[in-house]
Amino acid sequence: MAKLVVLTQSLAGRSHELAAASTTVGRVEDNAFQIAEPSVSSHHCEILLRGSEVVVKDLNSTNGTFINGEKITEGVLKPGQTLRLGNIELKLDVPGAPATPSAPPPAPAAPPPPKKEPVKAASGGVSLSELEGGTRPSIDTGVFTKKKKSKAMVFWIIVGSLMVIMVVIIFVLIGRAHSQ
């Protein structure tokens, strides 16, 4: 009988036999195969037995369902292939079936371009490398000045006076309109 075997270190050795035609896998207890790990969605995927095929169907999981590193919404899982749900890797084990060699590892990516010193957003700003390095950036506080309270007070007195004048003019116009 086919079974899923967990490969991930923290849960290594756990397995689940695929006895039913449909098996749900997820983080919560109502799944046939519960994997209580934060990167696995509550109802992550469904395993369907269709004849001799084992079909994996993603159930709109947050972190995706992958067969041999390739993201799938639905796909056939063959013996020996790796199924990844979030951060958990499993393999399909079928007694007597030859293990399908897993896909060759992807070609190494081109080396990343040399890092450039990040451009600071403004004078006295903080660069990303300063934040990542854990150093406390020095900020030039001479750029910033405190507003004078007296200037703000004068502004609000003028605005208030204009509002009072406008209200008086409106009352005068309404009074004249009623007297005619």
Side-chain angles (χ1 to χ4, degrees), residues 3-87:
K3 67 179 177 178
L4 287 174
V5 179
V6 179
L7 301 174
T8 303
Q9 186 82 23
S10 61
L11 301 170
R14 285 196 60 206
S15 65
H16 180 80
E17 289 202 20
L18 301 173
S22 172
T23 302
T24 57
V25 182
R27 188 179 66 244
V28 295
E29 293 176 6
D30 65 350
N31 289 288
F33 186 21
Q34 180 188 11
I35 301 175
E37 206 277 337
S39 68
V40 176
S41 291
S42 55
H43 296 96
H44 201 100
C45 69
E46 182 177 17
I47 312 291
L48 305 163
L49 298 178
R50 292 186 185 157
S52 62
E53 289 187 332
V54 176
V55 178
V56 180
K57 185 177 180 183
D58 184 74
L59 298 175
N60 295 319
S61 63
T62 302
N63 294 318
T65 301
F66 299 81
I67 294 178
N68 278 355
E70 188 173 321
K71 188 170 184 172
I72 56 111
T73 52
E74 185 171 316
V76 176
L77 181 64
K78 297 183 173 132
Q81 286 187 323
T82 303
L83 172 65
R84 183 166 52 90
L85 312 175
N87 294 331

Side-chain angles (χ1 to χ4, degrees), residues 87-173:
N87 294 331
I88 301 299
E89 286 195 343
L90 308 105
K91 82 169 181 175
L92 178 63
D93 188 18
V94 179
T100 303
S102 57
K115 286 192 172 190
K116 295 179 185 176
E117 184 62 32
V119 177
K120 294 184 179 185
S123 169
V126 179
S127 72
L128 185 58
S129 62
E130 287 175 320
L131 290 175
E132 290 173 344
T135 60
R136 188 168 182 99
S138 61
I139 299 174
D140 180 15
T141 57
V143 178
F144 303 105
T145 58
K146 190 172 182 180
K147 290 184 179 179
K148 302 283 186 208
K149 225 178 190 181
S150 60
K151 287 183 181 179
M153 185 66 87
V154 170
F155 171 78
W156 287 112
I157 290 173
I158 293 172
V159 169
S161 300
L162 289 174
M163 295 292 285
V164 169
I165 292 170
M166 288 174 52
V167 169
V168 169
I169 291 173
I170 291 172
F171 279 119
V172 169
L173 292 175

